[in-house]
Amino acid sequence: MEILMAILASILFATAIYNLLQKQFLRIIIGTVLLSHAAHLFLLTMGKLKRGNPPVLVEGVTNYTDPLPQALILTSIVISFGVTSFLLVLAYRTFTLNKSDNMDELRGSSDE
């Protein structure tokens, strides 16, 4: 199961990098979203999801789950949501001002 999740995370990383290298601003945003999802899956895979009791000290319980990977993933989800929201607003504002989402057209010329 962990191998399958690692393969899926690497496929997500590859498609994210492919989309980040495109010229359309919306595809760059999709690349950042895929990159964040790949990072979440990678953290979950490396955290090795363990089954056990909640991490509350009780007499006689020896098998506890580790809450740290879940806390890291939750924090990462919140941060990636904020970054995605900012990039979508930036893309909307850029498109309304320049009527284009092509990065080559947004650069302008050297005489400007």
Side-chain angles (χ1 to χ4, degrees):
M1 182 69 167
E2 291 156 355
I3 296 291
L4 184 64
M5 287 174 57
I7 290 171
L8 182 61
S10 63
I11 290 171
L12 281 173
F13 274 123
T15 54
I17 296 299
Y18 176 76
N19 280 324
L20 282 173
L21 296 174
Q22 298 298 313
K23 293 183 179 184
Q24 290 84 17
F25 200 29
L26 192 60
R27 286 194 181 199
I28 294 172
I29 295 171
I30 291 172
T32 58
V33 169
L34 287 175
L35 189 66
S36 68
H37 286 322
H40 302 156
L41 190 59
F42 183 70
L43 283 172
L44 183 66
T45 303
M46 294 299 111
K48 293 184 180 176
L49 186 62
K50 298 174 189 169
R51 299 193 185 267
N53 291 328
V56 177
L57 296 177
V58 178
E59 197 67 36
V61 178
T62 58
N63 189 15
Y64 292 110
T65 58
D66 187 16
L68 186 63
Q70 297 168 6
L72 287 174
I73 292 169
L74 184 61
T75 305
S76 178
I77 287 170
V78 170
I79 292 171
S80 66
F81 178 73
V83 168
T84 303
S85 300
F86 172 72
L87 287 175
L88 285 172
V89 168
L90 184 66
Y92 174 74
R93 183 78 173 142
T94 302
F95 186 77
T96 56
L97 288 177
N98 299 317
K99 303 294 186 233
S100 175
D101 70 338
N102 193 338
M103 295 305 281
D104 289 337
E105 294 175 8
L106 293 174
R107 271 194 196 134
S109 59
S110 61
D111 60 333
E112 290 182 325

